[in-house]
Amino acid sequence: MVDDERSIRQFLAVSLTAQGYALAEAATGHDAIESVSTFRPDAVILDLGLPDMEGIEVIEQIRTHSQIPIIILSVRDSQEEKIAALDKGADDYLTKPFGVEELHARLRAVLRRLVRIEDQAFKIGKLCMDLTKRRVRIGKKNIDLTPTEYDILKLLVFNAGKVITHKQIIKDIWNKNPEDFQGMDHLLRVTVSNLRNKLEPDPTRPEYIITEPAIGYRLRSD
């Protein structure tokens, strides 16, 4: 838990230890980076406004050597800052004030992502994706996907529970540079809409592919 507000750290220490977590605390970015290397935690809860460096810098330094899940917990709520943090490698973003039960749920989701995919198969609800056979099913029904639809679903599966920004998806799926993104947001929305029409019981109320407004998408992980 990385936050320069002692009261926040104390509150979360009580809350998280009651759930069975062991907690290491840091009040600065440098202490956080050192703690990740020495304590080797399963996840990081990170504030963006730290006294010695920006939380974005902490994410960048951690990502040079670790893919540990990082949840941002910050008073900053602009879309631009959320997108910047997620693009740098954060897994999720929660704004203060926050509900502690929601934080617990987000934490469980990122931890499940570490162990979800076994034997190249993914299953949640009635959705099953066999990565070896490139087969997707809803219940017992095989679902025919276009190559692009399959690749988007595969990207979401490998990051189940994590918010994937529009920019990340466009870059990974269509191999586009930022200067070539014009018009790609619309193509992405259409492709995701088509994918939902094939996978969701009710595409207007998706159960699997969840929209993070103006930011990106996440695949439900529980």
Side-chain angles (χ1 to χ4, degrees):
M1 174 61 212
V2 188
D3 199 302
D4 62 335
E5 292 187 46
R6 186 178 180 186
S7 60
I8 295 289
R9 299 200 311 273
Q10 289 177 331
F11 170 71
L12 287 178
V14 172
S15 173
L16 292 171
T17 54
Q19 296 293 314
Y21 295 101
L23 190 69
E25 301 178 30
T28 69
H30 285 103
D31 286 347
I33 293 165
E34 182 178 349
S35 184
V36 167
S37 298
T38 57
F39 186 70
R40 301 180 68 83
D42 294 311
V44 174
I45 301 171
L46 174 67
D47 186 21
L48 291 181
L50 300 172
D52 58 336
M53 66 170 66
E54 283 292 305
I56 292 290
E57 297 177 65
V58 177
I59 298 171
E60 288 179 318
Q61 293 203 35
I62 291 175
R63 284 290 175 257
T64 63
H65 61 84
S66 174
Q67 292 302 310
I68 180 175
I70 299 173
I71 298 176
I72 301 300
L73 184 61
S74 175
V75 71
R76 302 177 186 177
D77 61 356
S78 73
Q79 290 178 356
E80 291 78 9
E81 290 194 280
K82 290 180 180 180
I83 291 171
L86 293 166
D87 278 341
K88 290 296 184 181
D91 293 75
D92 208 343
Y93 198 117
L94 194 59
T95 55
K96 301 175 183 177
F98 63 96
V100 68
E101 291 302 323
E102 182 177 6
L103 176 61
H104 289 168
R106 302 283 184 101
L107 184 57
R108 289 193 298 269
V110 297
L111 292 175
R112 275 195 299 271
R113 183 170 60 82
L114 299 178
V115 296
R116 172 64 70 176
I117 299 175
E118 299 176 355
D119 300 325
Q120 295 295 296
F122 175 91
K123 189 176 187 301
I124 183 166
K126 293 184 178 181
L127 172 62
C128 181
M129 186 175 194
D130 187 324
L131 297 165
T132 302
K133 298 180 180 178
R134 290 182 64 89
R135 180 182 298 167
V136 177
R137 299 194 315 273
I138 295 293
K140 296 181 179 180
K141 179 183 178 182
N142 288 328
I143 305 298
D144 292 326
L145 301 181
T146 69
T148 300
E149 291 167 353
Y150 180 89
D151 288 343
I152 289 177
L153 182 60
K154 181 179 177 181
L155 176 64
L156 292 171
V157 160
F158 272 106
N159 294 278
K162 177 178 178 177
V163 180
I164 309 296
T165 65
H166 299 141
K167 178 181 177 181
Q168 288 174 300
I169 298 173
I170 292 168
K171 184 177 179 180
D172 286 357
I173 301 302
W174 285 280
N175 196 28
K176 293 287 187 179
N177 295 317
E179 60 270 18
D180 299 324
F181 279 7
Q182 187 173 0
M184 297 302 297
D185 278 348
H186 175 70
L187 178 58
L188 174 59
R189 285 195 298 271
V190 170
T191 307
V192 170
S193 177
N194 292 339
L195 187 55
R196 281 174 168 158
N197 286 332
K198 295 178 179 181
L199 300 180
E200 302 284 358
D202 181 357
T204 65
R205 302 178 64 183
E207 296 180 12
Y208 299 118
I209 302 174
I210 309 302
T211 296
E212 294 290 335
I215 296 175
Y217 300 97
R218 80 164 82 224
L219 187 71
R220 190 183 117 207
S221 63
D222 58 356

